[in-house]
Amino acid sequence: MAFWYDETFEDRTRYGCKVSEVLFSERSAYQKVEVFDTVHYGRTLVLDGIFMTSEREEHFYHEMLVQPAMALVHEPGRVLIIGGGDGGTAREVLRHLVPHTVTLVEIDETVLRACREHLPTIGTCWDDPRLELIVGNGVSYVEHANAAYYDLVIIDGCDPVGPARGLFSVEFYRACERLLRPGGALALQAGSPILQHDQFIETIANLRQVFPRERVKPYFGPAPLYASDLWSWALASHELDWHAIIEDRAARVEPHTKYYNREIHRAAFALPNNLKRELGA
Ligand code: SPD
């Protein structure tokens, strides 16, 4: 029996999808984990009532989280992903030949199990020998990992509420920065600049406490499954220039991406006027 499922945001907005079937529903030690088959977006992962990813539109989010950084970091041999238990972010990194190790740290084994079983078109890389999967707490992993070890750290977390809030703090960004080799970068999802406007501004401000102001670059694109559609990501580093696309690397990935290309890359970094003013950019 089909039914409507709504995500409610802070008792202010609701965004709904029609569900045709419940494929998975379990409460893990951390959260409620559900996979629905939805009429419009196909199979959809929902964590604690929040839409996370879906078969038909996940490429916007995952390509935009990963591909700009992969087009800019000179030699991204070692990549660390915090979160990302659906496998979409790892898949985008592993489209490239240059990473030789991709370490993915996902806290919730139930998310991994649900996604492997029900979202195989998103996580296509689980058997790639370059992927090292760790079930554990990303915050403590980052605190204890070797300094100056990774070329790219990617944070693929939930919204900045509840247990995921720590993934948006200055302390966490500082801990991530410690792991970066010279020339390395941090890439993260920074939420909706509309619906989560204040958190977005705070995220950029927090990054600017750790990285040089001019090297913290938010960028934008669509995420149709998330209530306000317009989404943001950010790149932070000590020396990267977001204009300096490594042309041949981007050109090699473009035949495989659905959304990302070099024109999109350049356009995505344009700041709307209100955000220019608010960020003092
Ligand atoms: N509003 C939900 C934001 C979720 C962002 N992360 C999604 C994870 C997909 N790999």
Side-chain angles (χ1 to χ4, degrees):
M1 179 75 164
F3 62 93
W4 282 95
Y5 189 89
D6 290 340
E7 170 185 318
T8 303
F9 178 73
E10 293 182 354
D11 206 22
R12 287 192 269 149
T13 63
R14 287 165 84 186
Y15 180 73
C17 287
K18 190 163 230 179
V19 173
S20 47
E21 193 181 348
V22 177
L23 300 169
F24 186 97
S25 181
E26 268 185 38
R27 184 165 287 284
S28 75
Y30 303 98
Q31 56 205 338
K32 183 151 191 203
V33 181
E34 294 168 294
V35 181
F36 299 143
D37 204 355
T38 66
V39 174
H40 189 73
Y41 289 123
R43 292 179 175 204
T44 301
L45 174 69
V46 180
L47 299 181
D48 272 347
I50 300 176
F51 293 120
M52 283 294 134
T53 193
S54 76
E55 287 179 315
R56 298 221 176 102
E57 54 72 65
E58 55 89 14
H59 55 280
F60 292 105
Y61 173 93
H62 290 125
E63 289 179 16
M64 289 303 278
L65 175 59
V66 172
Q67 297 307 342
M70 290 300 289
L72 298 173
V73 174
H74 188 61
E75 202 56 44
R78 290 184 191 137
V79 179
L80 172 65
I81 301 170
I82 301 298
D86 52 63
T89 294
R91 177 200 70 215
E92 289 302 317
V93 174
L94 290 163
R95 282 192 198 285
H96 296 267
L97 294 177
V98 59
H100 50 79
T101 318
V102 177
T103 304
L104 188 157
V105 185
E106 165 61 53
I107 195 167
D108 196 340
E109 182 278 330
T110 308
V111 169
L112 289 165
R113 185 160 44 83
C115 294
R116 275 182 99 130
E117 193 176 332
H118 297 289
L119 298 171
T121 62
I122 297 178
T124 55
C125 59
W126 298 119
D127 297 324
D128 190 309
R130 294 174 292 164
L131 182 68
E132 177 194 26
L133 183 57
I134 296 174
V135 180
N137 182 315
V139 173
S140 53
Y141 182 89
V142 163
E143 273 166 16
H144 297 105
N146 288 340
Y149 186 79
Y150 291 102
D151 303 290
L152 174 60
V153 174
I154 302 175
I155 309 170
D156 182 12
C158 303
D159 288 327
V161 287
R165 204 160 169 76
L167 299 182
F168 293 81
S169 67
V170 178
E171 295 68 35
F172 185 61
Y173 295 149
R174 196 161 279 133
C176 290
E177 188 269 347
R178 189 186 66 87
L179 304 191
L180 295 176
R181 297 175 72 193
L186 175 66
L188 56 127
Q189 72 97 355
S192 163
I194 299 169
L195 202 56
Q196 301 162 327
H197 169 270
D198 295 355
Q199 293 101 319
F200 164 79
I201 298 288
E202 189 183 324
T203 297
I204 301 305
N206 287 352
L207 286 166
R208 283 172 168 179
Q209 289 195 46
V210 177
F211 295 91
R213 184 183 177 85
E214 69 282 8
R215 303 287 174 204
V216 174
K217 288 288 171 196
Y219 59 99
F220 306 91
L225 187 65
Y226 306 154
S228 67
D229 188 9
L230 183 67
W231 207 250
S232 75
W233 299 265
L235 272 173
S237 70
H238 283 281
E239 55 226 57
L240 277 193
D241 172 2
W242 69 265
H243 296 94
I245 297 175
I246 300 166
E247 295 284 336
D248 61 328
R249 193 182 299 150
R252 273 198 302 273
V253 88
E254 282 177 14
H256 308 286
T257 51
K258 290 188 196 163
Y259 183 70
Y260 177 84
N261 59 39
R262 282 163 285 176
E263 290 89 344
I264 292 285
H265 179 122
R266 291 184 194 103
F269 285 87
L271 272 178
N273 270 355
N274 67 319
L275 298 181
K276 255 191 201 177
R277 291 182 195 115
E278 289 170 83
L279 295 172

